[in-house]
């Protein structure tokens, strides 16, 4: 099966998932979006949705089978991941057929934690949970995330 990957990865987390997809699907089967049987659309989470930089690529997906994937700094809840993926999906053009979806937590840059620590001095009740989330996100996507991604991808084939 031929496939294409359209991916935006700000910190490298979503890029790890894209690389796993290449390992699973075989690099020799990767082709242009126009020729692909399946298009994998991956993004880091920007304000709860797709990276706006992907907007120009979306019209190409109108008649394509699409597998959505991504990473987000906040995690721990499949319900949250589902809401983010719903936003990703709502950005697709009419006629795109979503055949699978996957989202996992991704680690954030250290500057984010430093900002949370500073803000926690003024509002600890609000920002201490954000620091805890940051610490839980370290190392993600991890081996378990990559395996879960592979399972979701294979199920969509």
């Amino acid at each position: 099966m031929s496939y294409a990957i359209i991916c935006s990865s700000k910190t490298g987390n979503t890029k790890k998932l894209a690389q796993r997809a290449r390992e699973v699907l075989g690099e020799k089967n990767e082709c242009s979006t126009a020729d692909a049987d399946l298009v994998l659309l991956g993004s880091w989470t920007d304000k709860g949705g797709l990276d706006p930089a992907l907007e120009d690529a979306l019209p190409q997906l109108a008649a394509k089978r699409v597998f959505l994937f991504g990473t987000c700094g906040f995690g721990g809840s499949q319900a949250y991941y589902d809401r983010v993926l719903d936003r990703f999906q709502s950005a697709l053009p009419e006629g795109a057929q979503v055949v699978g979806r996957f989202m996992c937590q991704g680690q954030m840059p250290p500057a984010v934690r430093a900002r949370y620590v500073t803000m926690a001095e003024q509002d600890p009740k609000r920002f201490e949970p954000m620091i805890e989330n940051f610490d839980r996100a370290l190392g993600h996507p991890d081996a378990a995330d990559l395996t879960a991604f592979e399972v979701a991808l294979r199920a969509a084939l």
Side-chain angles (χ1 to χ4, degrees):
M1 172 190 351
S2 64
Y3 71 94
I5 298 176
I6 300 170
C7 180
S8 176
S9 183
K10 188 172 185 177
T11 60
N13 297 324
T14 308
K15 184 178 179 180
K16 287 180 185 178
L17 297 177
Q19 185 54 40
R20 177 54 67 96
R22 286 182 178 97
E23 294 166 6
V24 170
L25 299 173
E27 290 189 22
K28 65 179 172 52
N29 296 323
E30 191 169 359
C31 63
S32 70
T33 302
D35 296 329
D37 297 320
L38 175 68
V39 178
L40 288 79
L41 177 64
S43 179
W44 61 283
T45 302
D46 182 32
K47 299 176 191 80
L50 281 171
D51 178 359
L54 293 171
E55 286 180 22
D56 290 345
L58 297 178
Q60 303 170 56
L61 306 178
K64 294 292 184 179
R65 296 175 65 240
V66 179
F67 183 92
L68 297 172
F69 69 98
T71 57
C72 58
F74 288 91
S77 164
Q78 187 59 50
Y80 176 72
Y81 295 152
D82 287 341
R83 284 192 304 273
V84 172
L85 286 164
D86 288 345
R87 286 187 208 109
F88 281 21
Q89 190 166 337
S90 71
L92 296 177
E94 189 173 325
Q97 177 192 2
V98 175
V99 296
R101 306 177 351 160
F102 180 83
M103 175 74 58
C104 69
Q105 193 164 28
Q107 68 183 21
M108 296 169 273
V112 172
R113 189 180 199 284
R115 188 172 68 241
Y116 290 164
V117 168
T118 299
M119 292 188 282
E121 293 171 5
Q122 301 299 315
D123 190 354
K125 187 175 182 178
R126 179 175 176 203
F127 289 100
E128 285 176 5
M130 295 171 86
I131 294 168
E132 291 170 9
N133 178 76
F134 178 96
D135 292 343
R136 277 192 307 273
L138 290 172
H140 287 273
D142 61 13
D145 296 324
L146 294 173
T147 298
F149 173 69
E150 181 175 339
V151 168
L153 181 56
R154 287 186 188 280
L157 298 179

